[in-house]
Amino acid sequence: MTETTQMARLGAVRPTAEIVAARLKRRHNAERRFRAVGLGAVLLALGFLGILLFTIVGNGITAFVQTYVRIDVTFDSALLGIEGDTGPDALAAANYQAIIKQSLYRTFPEAKTRAEQRQLGAMVSSGADIDLRKMLTADPSLLGQTRSLWLLADDDIDMAVKGHIPRQQGIAGNRLSDNELRWLSELESRGAVETRFNTLLWSSGDSREPELAGLWGAVVGSIFSLVITLLVSFPLGVATSVYLEEFAPKNRWTDLIEVNINNLAAVPSVVFGLLGLAVFLNILGMPRSAPLVGGLVLALICLPTIIIAARAAMKAVPPSIREAAAGLGASKLQVVTDHVLPLSMPGILTGTILGMAHALGETAPLLMIGMVAFIVDIPATPLDPAAVLPVQVYLWADSPERAFVERTSAAIMVLLLFLALMNLSAILLRKKFERRW
Amino acid sequence: MLRKTMAVAAIAVASLAVAGTAHARDQIRVVGSSTVYPFTTAVAEQFGKTGKFKTPVVESTGTGGGFKLFCGGVGPDHPDISDASRAIKASEIENCAKNGVSEIVEIKIGYDGIVLAAAKRAKHIDVTRQQLFLALAKEVPVNGKLVENPYVTWNQIDPKLPTQKIEVLGPPPTSGTRDAFIELVFEHAAESFPELKELKKTDEKAFKKAYSSIREDGGYIEAGENDNLIVQKLDANPNAFGIFGYSFLEQNEDKIQGSMVDGVAPTFDDIASGKYAVSRPLYIYVKKAHVGQIPGIKEFLAEYSSEKSWGKTGYLADKGLIPLADGERKEWATKATSLVTLTK
């Protein structure tokens, strides 16, 4: 208000051109400020994304390698407890831990007391025996021989090698005793410590030992769940939207349904989990923790997204196409299946993939149906218990062992990779099939 | 393509109906406490490695949530074992019985210490449970009356404590650790104040409310269920303290230290001997009706109660479980193998 009166007063004395120039300048300045604010917002968002990615990658990148130590292992049949009997059953049940411990004691003979030997034995992972079992079962002639083998290191040793646990001796409360640190340095000086690509992370299921824990069980669980989700939500969603968009009369009922579908899209996902618990588990008696149930619950979450996207895509098909088809004698069904659906498919697929990407990142609804659980075995069918990727992230983030910190970040990276791939395919599909009228 | 998708969907829906019919289960299912979860999962993994049985599935639902599922009934749709960070309540036994779960085997597996920890470079402190109550309760007795907690710094409570702001990171109300902390520290401390003791005699309910309310004015910060996060925050802020289970202290002793409570530091030995006051027993509960129905329960219990798992140098001790005393261990192991059921 004061500004306009001021301007009016100034206007009385200044020539018009000057006023216009001043006003123009002010308008340009306003625009420049607006642009700067917009750009600032984008940069801020990118900055946060950068920080997020930087911390996750910084924390997690080391989880993709794993430390191994080289030890001379003697396949001593007396220690293995399989004297005489070398059948496959005996080889499978043999005590491989004993020969690993014995080999460690021989490598570091200065460890004499029980406490020292315990520390020494703990340097190699409790899962290292699996490799030895595989070797000996494949080649029983190894019995009695000595081989120089790379064994999986314990998680604390792994953390020390990667620099997450201090290497100086004499720190009170360090996870690794001075003895262990000295032995580790000695192994390193002999070239008997190596980091390799962490294959277990990709091939095994969950474990309480960080060095043995893998994502494969969760990846398979996620794939099973998403396939079920797709099989259920895509046909249902498309059928619903075809009916609502092309066939249903426009009346109060369809309006009500439409409002409700839009509302469903905003319902917190944990509510769908409760629904799944009540209907699928308690009434239908389906198994707990199964990807089948997880997929069904996630399908419910996806449905509104798919329906809304599919209806929008069908609305975008010009009426002239429907009219032309009808004019040439096509029935209503033919118009839909031969013209409307193919033309709206890119939009429907994009919506579906975005809905699935959303489903991939859900944990809350799965908590209710028992998928947030410690599951070691890799699921073979959608009826077997399984976890999914975000659940694995959640479980590892809550584990006390230090080595799970980097593995949590690694799991997040894998999850983000999947999400990025799904979103990328959505973009490519749209690019490829998109039509402009 | 559309027709094909529709056909596949029809098959999927049909398979749901098949899955809907009750199925036999060949895998042990465990639910319950998140405190016991790290231990039961470790046993489950070892048990699965022997290869004779499938690895049990362990869910972390919280003690109360676990009993709710456990007491839901008998049959393959209901879990076989429930982890608990406290003993089962009479009301839960009743609820179990109502649903046909009458024979429950209780096995005490060890102890868990709750620690008050700070960054390693922070000053080492020694607090009593009374001082902890004064620092963290919502209402504290001052001059014979219960008032809103007036203490801002530790040295206001006791000049011997450091001159720093009271800042404690701890678990949210849904956590069993918090329940145990309130019971072991607050309830015990409250009874030592004459004002509150008086209240207990006159109004038991008001007394319970008084000792179980934690201050909400910023002195106590709810840090979510993620104890790793608390550890990281303590490491960054030497003035803050954190409350969590002993296993997190044990795994991070190069970064954080446990404060002494009533003059005793939370060490493995002192928690095991019962000298450290803030510790609680941990249990697992087994449904006897499922033994013999679900394969492997007996063997699983044998693994759990073996010396190589819950013994003094067993792998559960490595995970932070404080083992029972030798005699106690033997006694509970016998109960586990002979499946002694709870009597009311």
Side-chain angles (χ1 to χ4, degrees):
Chain A
M1 191 66 196
T2 51
E3 213 175 36
T4 49
T5 50
Q6 203 182 16
M7 269 165 55
R9 195 162 44 82
L10 283 172
V13 285
R14 286 163 67 187
T16 323
E18 226 174 90
I19 300 169
V20 171
R23 208 177 284 160
L24 202 60
K25 196 176 164 210
R26 216 166 35 235
R27 279 164 56 200
H28 282 168
N29 280 343
E31 186 179 322
R32 219 169 291 133
R33 271 198 304 276
F34 186 75
R35 271 200 210 166
V37 168
L39 187 66
V42 172
L43 286 180
L44 192 70
L46 278 179
F48 280 127
L49 182 69
I51 293 171
L52 177 79
L53 287 180
F54 184 77
T55 35
I56 289 174
V57 173
N59 277 336
I61 197 79
T62 46
F64 292 104
V65 292
Q66 165 67 39
T67 306
Y68 284 78
V69 290
R70 194 181 59 208
I71 309 280
D72 291 332
V73 178
T74 307
F75 289 91
D76 184 336
S77 51
L79 272 171
L80 283 167
I82 46 168
E83 275 169 292
D85 182 10
T86 55
D89 284 347
L91 289 183
N95 188 355
Y96 293 93
Q97 286 292 346
I99 57 169
I100 293 176
K101 296 238 157 88
Q102 190 57 42
S103 312
L104 280 167
Y105 301 157
R106 239 194 340 254
T107 317
F108 295 104
E110 71 262 34
K112 291 226 169 53
T113 66
R114 244 184 85 72
E116 281 171 344
Q117 291 195 338
R118 259 176 67 80
Q119 287 174 354
L120 185 56
M123 290 182 69
V124 169
S125 165
S126 60
D129 53 341
I130 302 168
D131 287 341
L132 294 188
R133 184 186 302 157
K134 263 191 218 144
M135 275 183 74
L136 194 62
T137 327
D139 181 10
S141 68
L142 279 172
L143 261 183
Q145 297 193 38
T146 302
R147 285 283 142 89
S148 181
L149 297 175
W150 288 98
L151 299 177
L152 189 64
D154 187 60
D155 56 320
D156 286 331
I157 298 288
D158 185 39
M159 287 294 99
V161 169
K162 289 173 183 170
H164 297 303
I165 283 182
R167 293 288 297 269
Q168 304 94 309
Q169 295 186 11
I171 297 178
N174 196 340
R175 289 285 304 156
L176 289 174
S177 67
D178 291 353
N179 282 335
E180 284 169 294
L181 289 169
R182 207 176 51 243
W183 293 325
L184 177 60
S185 303
E186 204 173 319
L187 281 176
E188 270 176 339
S189 65
R190 291 183 204 167
V193 176
E194 194 177 273
T195 54
R196 298 183 180 177
F197 182 68
N198 191 351
T199 47
L200 280 172
L201 186 68
W202 300 97
S203 61
S204 63
D206 198 4
S207 168
R208 290 290 301 133
E209 304 301 329
E211 71 272 17
L212 298 173
L215 283 171
W216 186 240
V219 169
V220 173
S222 273
I223 292 173
F224 277 145
S225 299
L226 285 187
V227 167
I228 304 264
T229 305
L230 184 66
L231 288 182
V232 175
S233 65
F234 183 70
L236 270 182
V238 172
T240 310
S241 25
V242 165
Y243 180 76
L244 284 178
E245 201 56 41
E246 303 290 332
F247 294 99
K250 298 273 173 279
N251 59 25
R252 215 176 285 167
W253 286 111
T254 44
D255 281 349
L256 188 72
I257 291 176
E258 187 169 347
V259 169
N260 273 312
I261 289 173
N262 290 340
N263 276 341
L264 272 183
V267 167
S269 52
V270 68
V271 176
F272 288 101
L274 282 169
L275 180 82
L277 174 67
V279 177
F280 299 131
L281 295 190
N282 293 350
I283 297 179
L284 295 177
M286 292 183 192
R288 260 181 98 77
S289 318
L292 172 72
V293 185
L296 289 175
V297 170
L298 294 176
L300 294 179
I301 295 171
C302 276
L303 261 179
T305 320
I306 296 180
I307 294 173
I308 292 168
R311 291 190 65 182
M314 285 179 205
K315 263 200 195 101
V317 176
S320 56
I321 293 199
R322 292 188 182 85
E323 283 154 14
L328 288 174
S331 71
K332 190 115 196 202
L333 182 67
Q334 281 174 320
V335 172
V336 170
T337 53
D338 296 350
H339 300 279
V340 178
L341 268 185
L343 287 174
S344 54
M345 213 29 106
I348 298 177
L349 288 179
T350 311
T352 309
I353 291 173
L354 292 181
M356 303 281 288
H358 176 197
L360 174 65
E362 281 291 350
T363 37
L366 304 180
L367 188 70
M368 296 291 151
I369 55 169
M371 285 185 87
V372 180
F374 176 74
I375 295 157
V376 175
D377 302 335
I378 313 280
T381 72
L383 288 172
D384 293 337
V388 294
L389 275 171
V391 164
Q392 203 62 70
V393 171
Y394 170 78
L395 288 174
W396 285 357
D398 216 19
S399 302
E401 288 82 3
R402 181 77 56 85
F404 273 122
V405 174
E406 60 165 33
R407 274 165 174 79
T408 306
S409 292
I412 293 172
M413 282 156 74
V414 173
L415 180 61
L416 285 180
L417 182 78
F418 272 82
L419 284 174
L421 284 179
M422 286 176 79
N423 285 337
L424 182 72
S425 62
I427 293 169
L428 290 179
L429 275 175
R430 199 168 54 216
K431 276 258 150 64
K432 183 145 195 263
F433 295 109
E434 196 171 41
R435 278 180 92 155
R436 290 185 192 282
W437 286 286
Chain B
M1 176 203 148
L2 189 72
R3 212 157 285 163
K4 221 183 217 166
T5 342
M6 291 291 186
V8 174
I11 293 168
V13 173
S15 69
L16 298 190
V18 178
T21 55
H23 57 291
R25 182 154 55 84
D26 57 354
Q27 191 167 28
I28 298 173
R29 301 210 60 131
V30 189
V31 293
S33 163
S34 55
T35 311
V36 185
Y37 172 88
F39 310 127
T40 303
T41 47
V43 178
E45 193 175 349
Q46 288 298 326
F47 177 72
K49 265 191 202 159
T50 57
K52 275 180 226 134
F53 300 96
K54 280 193 178 174
T55 312
V57 172
V58 187
E59 272 182 65
S60 159
T61 61
T63 303
F67 279 131
K68 223 167 150 188
L69 289 166
F70 181 78
C71 294
V74 175
D77 289 340
H78 304 282
D80 314 307
I81 298 174
S82 190
D83 294 335
S85 56
R86 57 166 168 78
I88 190 167
K89 290 180 190 162
S91 59
E92 284 160 345
I93 296 180
E94 253 166 55
N95 185 27
C96 263
K98 224 188 289 162
N99 292 317
V101 185
S102 49
E103 289 186 305
I104 306 169
V105 181
E106 179 183 68
I107 302 162
K108 194 172 173 185
I109 58 163
Y111 295 96
D112 175 41
I114 299 174
V115 300
L116 179 77
K120 201 125 189 237
R121 60 207 153 95
K123 245 168 87 186
H124 209 76
I125 66 163
D126 179 359
V127 288
T128 65
R129 282 185 272 178
Q130 280 83 354
Q131 287 164 347
L132 273 178
F133 178 79
L134 292 177
L136 295 175
K138 195 172 182 199
E139 290 185 328
V140 294
V142 173
N143 300 330
K145 263 197 313 217
L146 272 182
V147 295
E148 279 290 305
N149 196 328
Y151 301 111
V152 180
T153 58
W154 287 98
N155 63 331
Q156 288 171 347
I157 298 167
D158 187 328
K160 275 191 224 116
L161 292 171
T163 331
Q164 65 191 35
K165 233 180 102 201
I166 296 173
E167 199 179 346
V168 178
L169 301 155
T174 47
S175 159
T177 308
R178 172 149 156 175
D179 291 345
F181 185 79
I182 284 177
E183 187 192 319
L184 294 164
V185 177
F186 280 23
E187 190 177 357
H188 173 270
E191 282 172 14
S192 66
F193 294 107
E195 300 90 338
L196 282 158
K197 214 171 177 184
E198 198 56 40
L199 188 64
K200 189 184 182 182
K201 275 186 209 140
T202 53
D203 188 349
E204 183 95 26
K205 254 195 189 147
F207 171 70
K208 190 159 184 207
K209 197 169 164 245
Y211 79 69
S212 60
S213 307
I214 290 188
R215 66 193 298 179
E216 287 154 359
D217 56 357
Y220 181 88
I221 303 150
E222 277 173 20
E225 293 264 22
N226 191 332
D227 296 332
N228 268 327
L229 206 67
I230 302 186
V231 171
Q232 282 169 27
K233 283 185 181 159
L234 293 185
D235 193 34
N237 177 2
N239 287 329
F241 290 89
I243 295 171
F244 40 77
Y246 172 74
S247 51
F248 280 85
L249 174 65
E250 204 213 8
Q251 292 284 343
N252 294 289
E253 267 181 313
D254 56 326
K255 284 186 184 168
I256 51 173
Q257 62 185 355
S259 307
M260 295 212 269
V261 176
D262 289 341
V264 184
T267 59
F268 188 87
D269 293 330
D270 282 344
I271 300 174
S273 69
K275 248 165 83 193
Y276 182 74
V278 199
S279 77
R280 56 177 162 172
L282 303 176
Y283 300 89
I284 60 171
Y285 289 88
V286 186
K287 214 176 271 176
K288 197 176 177 184
H290 283 192
V291 178
Q293 300 298 313
I294 308 291
I297 295 183
K298 265 199 149 151
E299 290 81 354
F300 181 69
L301 294 181
E303 171 74 32
Y304 219 129
S305 58
S306 68
E307 278 299 300
K308 78 176 161 82
S309 80
W310 76 2
K312 270 205 180 122
T313 55
Y315 57 80
L316 290 183
D318 289 341
K319 292 274 167 215
L321 178 77
I322 313 285
L324 304 167
D326 292 346
E328 232 183 336
R329 232 169 29 240
K330 213 173 256 168
E331 181 192 326
W332 285 102
T334 336
K335 281 192 184 170
T337 42
S338 53
L339 297 168
V340 179
T341 54
L342 272 181
T343 45
K344 258 189 233 172

